[in-house]
Amino acid sequence: MKPARGLAIAVAIAAAVAGAAWLLRRPPEARVRPSVLLVTIDTLRADRVGAYGGPAGLTPNIDALAAGGAVFEEALASVPLTLPSHATILSGLEPPHHGVRDNGTYVFPEGRETLATRLSAAGYATGAFMAAYVLDRRFGLARGFTRYDDAIDRRQEGASILESERRCETVVAAAEEWLGGQHGPYFAWVHLYDPHAPYDPPSPFREQHAGALYDGEVAYADACVGRLLEAARRPAPGNLVVVLLADHGEALGEHGERTHGFYVYQSTLRIPLIVAGPGVPARRVPGLARTADVTPTILRLLGMDPLPQSDGMDLLAAGRPRESYAETWYPRSLGWSPLHSYRVGSLKLVDAPRPELYDLSADPHEQRDLASTDPAQVARLREALARARQGETSGARGASDPEVAERLRALGYVTTGPARVSAEEELADPKDRIERWQIFEEATWAEGRGDLASAVASFRRLVEDEPGNATFRRSLAAALRKSGNARAAAQALSALETLAPDDPLAWHEAAVSLAEAGKLDEAIRAERRAITLGPGLPELHNHLGILLARGGDVPASLEAFMAATRLDPNNARAWNNQANALRSLGQSARAAEAYRTAARLAPRDPDPKNGLGVLAVESGDLETAGALFREILAANPALHESRMNLAVVYVRQNRVADARAELRAILGARPDRATAARAAAFLRDIS
């Protein structure tokens, strides 16, 4: 017998009410766990965010998020550099305990758990979307992510200071696509890089902030945050934890530092940190908060245990951290002293060859050094700093790959190892080298934007000031080589056995310079020396392959290119070079596969398409070949090699008039002498 319809409805309502009451009572781990969106904005100062007293209207989307969540009023980064700071954010470990101390030369250890590995093991879908090459997967933070989108164009290293990053709208578009496919709990990490120097916001932000381009970058990043939040909320309505923070700040000239990484003052350590979502009341939270606290706080909100040996704490629980650690090893890249900092309450020590002490409650901008008047506090904080560094690990460190070094130089970073210093030699205090650092930064930026004359002049001055500084010499050699003076570049590195006998980057730069100076055998010997010193560095093998191919040893060059792609499967140039070698050896099928891989990795690069077009010509597929060459020329009409290849296709199709038109177009563009001679000879042959 069926119950009456009204009774059935009443029973259903009662069951629903009872279920809702049980849902409110059951512990967090029994509920459907929230999804998590972690947004890290590179180089964002707290004082540029409206919720932290920044300019009105500059960050409306971040401010709206802050209005509904917890705003930590004094959040601090542990290190003012991108890679080590993100290693701390994702692991809850301070740099001495995860061992990543700088950009480009360290890899996050495989044995350490991260927020991504924990959430992936708990059944979360995991996706990460990177905006800068400094967070490429090779540096170890991709573990735990099913999707790690670091597809940053790697074709023309250093040709532009912006080519090693991608704008936030591109990053957010990739994240939006992934978020649209999620139907259960997810963890998304989205990294935005735009406020990083050089400041180059797109329109209309450039025009709106013409006198303050850093602010324009911040406003642009905020607009991307708004779009990202909208996309993230769709698959998790009402059940999304959002954590937004910066990895570090930006000095903007304070203490003589234009950007970040050189010092550990508050201008580069103080950051915005906002947590919003279920279980997070809207409030302002006074006191310290640290990047090491981010992962423990997220795990608590999800009802999960903290990661083992975490240095951080749950910021939403009772009690607040009273002490904070910070460091920068960046000055070591130039042979100068690293800096460490420790803070207890309002007192802050900067431990340097000449230590500094500040009372931030009375001197928030660190203008009055108290170290000489209060040595007892210096000693007390040094003891606390020593305790914080107990169990310090050196991390997984190796010399930076030249391809990494060149790309990070394009972002303004030095990525070489520290200069050789004898055990008894005292390292220079960075305070005493700030003028040289400023010159070095300006020279690096000048090189990146193509002002090679200024770069060479500045690097020469630095080498004169510090003749034994291998980083200055490497930089001078690179700038000389790019300006067409390969012989002078090789000469600048002629004393490598004394200056940098164990530095594979220096030997590689010497190999490049020697090759461009026409000394092929010496270049091959220098590159082989570099590979002996750094066998795991992909670009060394790639360049050796180029040199061997130039010398006519194509089988040996293929081995070198294959070694490069084994070490770095995302290296489009090495895949393209490998394809060229395979085509020369008659292995067309393998060559086509390698060209297609290169085209997928670098879709804007014409070389793989050109190679596929040549293969199509060789196989007799003239329609496909012609289409590929025309596609290349539509994007870049100045690519004479592809236009010459198209002329070949037209001749084979008996379209001689079209072939002549293409060759005349080449000659009309006034190409280099060799190209002009080839085009003229071809034109004579078909006339």
Side-chain angles (χ1 to χ4, degrees):
M1 176 179 175
K2 295 182 180 180
R5 184 171 180 273
L7 179 60
I9 293 173
V11 170
I13 292 173
V17 171
W22 175 78
L23 180 64
L24 293 173
R25 289 196 307 266
R26 59 182 171 169
E29 59 270 18
R31 298 197 302 262
V32 175
R33 284 181 172 140
S35 292
V36 178
L37 173 65
L38 173 64
V39 184
T40 58
I41 304 179
D42 220 289
T43 324
L44 176 61
R45 285 176 63 114
D47 65 7
R48 289 306 194 273
V49 177
Y52 287 84
L58 189 64
T59 56
N61 294 293
I62 297 175
D63 296 343
L65 179 70
V71 177
F72 295 90
E73 294 182 342
E74 196 171 5
L76 299 170
S78 297
V79 54
L81 291 167
T82 300
L83 178 64
S85 183
H86 281 92
T88 292
I89 291 167
L90 289 171
S91 70
L93 297 170
E94 298 287 15
H97 300 145
H98 59 59
V100 179
R101 317 309 283 266
D102 205 345
N103 289 329
T105 55
Y106 291 86
V107 177
F108 188 82
E110 290 187 8
R112 291 289 193 181
E113 250 194 301
T114 67
L115 182 60
T117 60
R118 171 62 64 84
L119 295 187
S120 176
Y124 275 70
T126 53
F129 305 87
M130 302 299 101
Y133 189 70
V134 68
L135 294 176
D136 185 84
R137 68 184 62 233
R138 73 167 65 179
F139 303 123
L141 295 183
R143 284 191 304 110
F145 288 104
T146 303
R147 169 86 176 274
Y148 195 85
D149 186 342
D150 54 353
I152 296 156
D153 191 349
R154 301 170 59 164
R155 179 63 180 105
Q156 298 180 7
E157 294 77 25
S160 161
I161 48 182
L162 290 178
E163 282 186 355
S164 292
E165 63 173 295
R166 53 182 181 173
R167 291 195 186 276
C168 64
E169 59 194 275
T170 303
V171 180
V172 170
E176 280 180 317
E177 181 182 4
W178 183 82
L179 288 164
Q182 302 311 309
H183 303 289
Y186 67 80
F187 168 44
W189 167 30
V190 180
H191 168 247
L192 308 180
Y193 198 73
D194 302 273
H196 196 285
Y199 315 127
D200 183 34
S203 295
F205 303 97
R206 168 174 287 276
E207 292 76 19
Q208 292 168 355
H209 302 275
L213 293 181
Y214 174 78
D215 288 4
E217 292 274 37
V218 171
Y220 173 50
D222 178 81
C224 288
V225 167
R227 177 177 158 189
L228 175 63
L229 290 173
E230 183 179 347
R233 287 166 176 153
R234 289 190 203 108
N239 201 27
L240 175 67
V241 170
V242 180
V243 178
L244 182 146
L245 73 157
D247 60 345
H248 53 74
E250 186 80 318
L252 297 180
E254 294 184 30
H255 296 274
E257 184 179 20
R258 293 185 177 93
T259 55
H260 59 271
F262 196 73
Y263 287 144
V264 284
Y265 296 119
Q266 296 301 96
S267 54
T268 60
L269 295 183
R270 186 166 180 244
I271 58 171
L273 171 58
I274 299 163
V275 181
V280 183
R283 60 189 175 117
R284 301 188 70 85
V285 185
L288 297 183
R290 305 160 304 183
T291 46
D293 301 323
V294 170
T295 282
T297 302
I298 292 173
L299 290 175
R300 176 263 180 185
L301 281 169
L302 303 182
M304 300 174 72
D305 293 332
L307 300 181
Q309 301 176 326
S310 175
D311 292 318
M313 62 184 296
D314 173 12
L315 292 173
L316 298 173
R320 313 281 314 125
R322 292 197 65 255
E323 302 182 3
S324 65
Y325 170 88
E327 70 171 38
T328 181
W329 283 29
Y330 198 29
R332 290 186 69 203
S333 301
L334 293 104
W336 306 331
S337 175
L339 298 174
H340 300 86
S341 171
Y342 205 75
R343 177 173 169 182
V344 178
S346 65
L347 283 180
K348 175 182 174 181
L349 168 73
V350 177
D351 197 24
R354 295 196 316 282
E356 304 162 58
L357 179 70
Y358 299 99
D359 181 355
L360 297 178
S361 62
D363 179 24
H365 297 291
E366 297 159 293
Q367 299 296 313
R368 296 187 296 276
D369 180 6
L370 307 175
S372 61
T373 60
D374 201 345
Q377 290 288 14
V378 171
R380 182 174 74 90
L381 289 176
R382 270 184 161 162
E383 290 177 2
L385 173 62
R387 288 192 297 272
R389 294 179 63 187
Q390 286 178 352
E392 191 163 9
T393 176
S394 61
R397 184 184 182 281
S400 175
D401 185 21
E403 195 245 0
V404 175
E406 183 68 11
R407 293 182 67 76
L408 296 184
R409 271 172 56 78
L411 298 175
Y413 289 121
V414 183
T415 59
T416 58
R420 290 167 61 86
V421 179
S422 61
E424 63 274 6
E425 184 177 349
E426 184 175 337
L427 297 177
D429 193 315
K431 293 189 291 292
D432 298 331
R433 295 292 186 267
I434 185 62
E435 289 185 6
R436 291 179 189 174
W437 174 247
Q438 291 169 345
I439 294 170
F440 184 83
E441 276 194 314
E442 289 289 353
T444 300
W445 294 337
E447 180 188 343
R449 65 177 177 263
D451 185 0
L452 295 172
S454 296
V456 167
S458 295
F459 288 136
R460 280 196 191 280
R461 175 181 167 187
L462 291 170
V463 169
E464 289 171 2
D465 289 342
E466 287 191 37
N469 190 311
T471 299
F472 289 166
R473 282 190 176 271
R474 276 191 292 269
S475 300
L476 173 60
L480 284 166
R481 174 174 54 80
K482 291 175 183 178
S483 64
N485 198 344
R487 289 184 180 275
Q491 181 60 35
L493 295 172
S494 60
L496 284 186
E497 288 289 2
T498 301
L499 286 174
D502 302 324
D503 186 345
L505 282 188
W507 287 97
H508 168 75
E509 180 57 48
V512 176
S513 299
L514 288 164
E516 293 191 11
K519 300 180 179 181
L520 183 60
D521 290 341
E522 291 181 50
I524 290 173
R525 285 196 293 272
E527 199 66 87
R528 290 195 187 279
R529 172 71 175 269
I531 289 173
T532 299
L533 295 169
L537 306 182
E539 187 57 25
L540 307 186
H541 298 274
N542 185 50
H543 187 244
L544 177 62
I546 293 170
L547 298 177
L548 292 169
R550 189 183 303 174
D553 192 348
V554 178
S557 77
L558 176 59
E559 291 182 13
F561 295 137
M562 290 175 66
T565 55
R566 279 196 300 270
L567 290 166
D568 182 9
N570 287 333
N571 192 323
R573 290 187 308 158
W575 279 109
N576 194 76
N577 291 337
Q578 183 181 141
N580 289 337
L582 288 164
R583 182 169 59 82
S584 296
L585 294 170
Q587 301 185 41
S588 299
R590 289 180 62 196
E593 183 180 351
Y595 280 133
R596 284 191 288 269
T597 300
R600 175 178 55 79
L601 292 169
R604 292 184 297 172
D605 185 354
D607 288 351
K609 292 177 184 176
N610 190 71
L612 287 168
V614 171
L615 287 176
V617 171
E618 292 174 349
S619 69
D621 187 355
L622 299 178
E623 289 298 325
T624 296
L628 284 166
F629 297 137
R630 283 188 290 270
E631 180 183 345
I632 293 169
L633 293 168
N636 189 345
L639 292 174
H640 304 311
E641 185 71 25
S642 295
R643 195 172 296 280
M644 198 104 60
N645 290 336
L646 181 58
V648 171
V649 170
Y650 286 154
V651 168
R652 295 194 180 187
Q653 291 177 326
N654 294 317
R655 296 169 59 181
V656 178
D658 290 331
R660 290 183 188 132
E662 298 298 338
L663 294 170
R664 290 189 184 111
I666 294 173
L667 294 170
R670 297 185 178 181
D672 62 85
R673 186 176 300 177
T675 301
R678 289 175 59 208
F682 193 176
L683 186 59
R684 285 194 301 271
D685 288 344
I686 62 175
S687 295

